[in-house]
Amino acid sequence: MDKLLNDLGGIVLNALPTSIIVLILAIFVKQFYLKPLETVLAERHKLTEGARLAAEQGRDAADSKIAAYDAALEKARREIYAEQTEFLRNLHAEQGERTKAAKASSDSTLAAVRQSIAAEAAEARAGLAARSDQLASQIADSILTRRVRKLS
């Protein structure tokens, strides 16, 4: 067993410089490589988070602008629809007034034409009545002259 311990002590003694070199190398790597790398990664993470936050804020601002634009667009549509409704209401009222005026004009023209026709009919009746008496007397004269000729 002494030999085993002696051999083991020799192995440890031989491994000690290598262990010290590995330990120094580990400290060196950690100090000069991993710490700056962690610093760079932390800075990168901070910048990435900042960019992500800025992007979220930009998206939120864009969403609010889109909502404002949609609200303004809806308001403009409602105003246009209201104007169209008012325009159509006025147009229908104006057309109704024109229709009433045209009806009144045509009614007065029709009344004047009816009066004129009634006057012409009365005149024609009076002319026919006068003419009928004259024609009746001519017919009577004609018939009587024929009888007189036949008798003579």
Side-chain angles (χ1 to χ4, degrees):
M1 174 115 170
D2 281 338
K3 181 174 180 341
L4 184 66
L5 285 177
N6 195 17
D7 287 342
L8 190 58
I11 292 173
V12 169
L13 190 60
N14 285 336
L16 192 60
T18 305
S19 298
I20 291 174
I21 290 174
V22 168
L23 186 62
I24 291 172
L25 185 61
I27 292 171
F28 179 79
V29 165
K30 185 175 182 182
Q31 194 67 23
F32 292 109
Y33 181 71
L34 293 179
K35 271 194 178 178
L37 185 62
E38 285 177 3
T39 306
V40 168
L41 288 176
E43 182 68 23
R44 184 175 176 191
H45 179 70
K46 187 174 91 174
L47 291 176
T48 304
E49 278 299 311
R52 188 175 325 153
L53 287 175
E56 286 178 8
Q57 289 172 351
R59 189 186 67 224
D60 292 342
D63 287 344
S64 67
K65 284 184 180 181
I66 288 172
Y69 173 76
D70 286 342
L73 186 62
E74 185 61 32
K75 181 182 176 187
R77 281 185 184 146
R78 278 185 300 213
E79 289 174 0
I80 288 172
Y81 291 147
E83 288 175 7
Q84 283 180 341
T85 303
E86 184 65 27
F87 174 76
L88 290 175
R89 188 176 299 127
N90 291 339
L91 182 65
H92 289 163
E94 185 179 315
Q95 286 176 345
E97 290 173 10
R98 285 184 190 168
T99 303
K100 287 178 184 177
K103 186 176 185 295
S105 174
S106 66
D107 286 346
S108 66
T109 304
L110 184 61
V113 167
R114 283 185 180 161
Q115 267 185 339
S116 172
I117 289 174
E120 287 178 10
E123 187 180 310
R125 282 189 192 113
L128 283 176
R131 188 103 161 107
S132 70
D133 288 340
Q134 187 182 27
L135 284 174
S137 50
Q138 283 179 355
I139 291 172
D141 284 343
S142 164
I143 292 175
L144 288 177
T145 35
R146 275 191 199 165
R147 284 191 182 171
V148 174
R149 283 191 199 159
K150 283 188 182 180
L151 291 175
S152 11

